[in-house]
Amino acid sequence: MPFSTSFVPEIRFGENLHETIGAAAKAFGAKKAALVIDGFLAQSGLADRIVAQLQEEGIEASVFSDFAGEPKIAHVRRATEVVTGADVVIGIGGGSALDIAKIAACCAASGEDAMHYALAANPLPKNPLKKIMVPTTAGTGSETSATNIFAGPEGKKLWIWGAETKADLVLLDPVLTATLPATLTAWCGMDAFIHAFEAATNRNAHAGGKFYAHEALRLLTDALETAVKEPGNMDARGKVLLGSCYAGIAIDNCGTAVAHNISHAMAGLAPVHHGLATALGFEATLAWLVEADTADLNAAAKACGLANAAALPAFVSGLMDRCGIVRALPKAFESLDGNALANEMKAPENQPMRRSTIREIGDDDIARFAATLMSLPKAA
């Protein structure tokens, strides 16, 4: 089957690599850099250390860290104001920080609002600012992806897609992931695992994407549980971070499927961590999915060290158990029911993920999946 692969940015991997950010920015010829960094990382002193690096290289620096949770249009707009006038944008943090940084790098170059580009309404600028992405969570794969998610003015998840949003340089430093709490390590790691799995098994899967997806599955299967239980284990942290990056490359080429249809739909109803929502959606649909028994499903299972696809549901549930993932939704979902989630799963913005799933998803399937998920306990 013919295919083409999207370009992969330069990727550097190593412990304490974040100490080279200033030099990397200088290599791009930057005179002014803008740092988009998660608020808690800024408060930890990391932002100050990065700014000091930049100043030592003769680069003027500005910082935007006034955001939390999932990216919102207001965050993107404020970031664009800070980024405007810079030569290079440095995103440091989880997927929210990286997506905000990448979108702002485009909007600052063109002078257009992010909504101008939402859902591919208009072409992205061909001259975005240079971008250095430094993930501190191992899950989203945003550092290598051309897809960027944010909530629009009405709170609905929107996306901006295009090669122009991609990083010019990715720095993978497992040291930066070491302070991530066990719960978040597990949630983010499962998100990465599901990225790889869905990219390798959906209708858009091809050999170029599966090359990265299968290696991601091997790395994550080998190391995620250890990374959760031994936060200081840099070998495990590094494998999970690299697996997340490879999974990001895989979804950049082949996209996602039903578990992400569900997690995006859940986020449209109430605040929920993307990794948790995706893991819950994956577990709830996997037994149904593997009934398709395709060659790709069996190949993905073998990448996890399993005999065949039929072994996947028990394996995934066991991995979630060992990583301490509690099957519960936030209390904000208490007043919602299966019909509400089913309607969101059928919303236009979530249809690409529904259509890409290797099994056709009927409305009755959606109703069943939604009912299962909304029957989960609601956490305090």
Side-chain angles (χ1 to χ4, degrees), residues 325-359:
I325 295 178
V326 177
R327 279 62 156 194
L329 295 173
K331 203 168 183 63
F333 284 82
E334 208 162 40
S335 63
L336 300 166
D337 61 13
N339 288 332
L341 180 56
N343 288 336
E344 285 292 328
M345 289 174 66
K346 291 185 282 188
E349 62 269 22
N350 294 324
Q351 292 318 288
M353 293 166 282
R354 178 181 180 178
R355 289 193 297 266
S356 69
T357 303
I358 197 63
R359 284 192 71 177

Side-chain angles (χ1 to χ4, degrees), residues 110-365:
S110 68
E112 296 286 357
D113 186 76
M115 293 302 295
H116 182 71
Y117 303 115
L119 302 179
N122 291 285
L124 287 158
K126 298 303 179 185
N127 61 336
L129 305 182
K130 293 290 185 181
K131 299 175 285 298
I132 299 173
M133 295 294 116
V134 188
T136 63
T137 65
T140 69
S142 179
E143 66 273 12
T144 52
S145 173
T147 301
N148 309 273
I149 305 295
F150 67 101
E154 298 176 355
K156 297 292 184 183
K157 274 202 172 186
L158 302 173
W159 50 264
I160 289 176
W161 180 90
E164 295 83 358
T165 70
K166 294 180 75 167
D168 298 282
L169 173 64
V170 174
L171 301 179
L172 300 179
D173 185 347
V175 170
L176 292 179
T177 72
T179 58
L180 199 67
T183 298
L184 290 178
T185 299
W187 291 351
C188 294
M190 283 304 304
D191 189 26
F193 181 95
I194 297 160
H195 284 162
F197 183 88
E198 293 197 325
T201 60
N202 70 30
R203 295 180 189 274
N204 304 312
H206 58 66
K210 285 184 280 189
F211 175 82
Y212 290 100
H214 289 162
E215 182 60 17
L217 290 172
R218 293 185 190 99
L219 288 164
L220 291 158
T221 297
D222 179 51
L224 179 57
E225 181 182 353
T226 302
V228 171
K229 295 178 177 177
E230 302 174 23
N233 187 320
M234 285 299 109
D235 179 65
R237 287 281 183 184
K239 287 179 178 177
V240 172
L241 183 59
L242 192 58
S244 172
C245 181
Y246 287 168
I249 296 170
I251 61 169
D252 193 51
N253 281 282
C254 302
T256 58
V258 61
H260 279 80
N261 170 281
I262 289 170
S263 61
H264 283 254
M266 290 174 70
L269 293 176
V272 58
H273 189 279
H274 174 73
L276 172 62
T278 305
L280 296 175
F282 188 54
E283 186 178 36
T285 58
L286 187 55
W288 166 86
L289 184 70
V290 299
E291 289 176 1
D293 197 29
T294 66
D296 282 346
L297 285 166
N298 283 287
K302 289 176 181 176
C304 299
L306 305 174
N308 52 48
L312 279 162
F315 167 77
V316 167
S317 293
L319 179 61
M320 289 171 63
D321 287 340
R322 296 191 302 276
C323 289
I325 295 178
V326 177
R327 279 62 156 194
L329 295 173
K331 203 168 183 63
F333 284 82
E334 208 162 40
S335 63
L336 300 166
D337 61 13
N339 288 332
L341 180 56
N343 288 336
E344 285 292 328
M345 289 174 66
K346 291 185 282 188
E349 62 269 22
N350 294 324
Q351 292 318 288
M353 293 166 282
R354 178 181 180 178
R355 289 193 297 266
S356 69
T357 303
I358 197 63
R359 284 192 71 177
E360 184 175 348
I361 308 174
D363 286 352
D364 56 336
D365 297 315

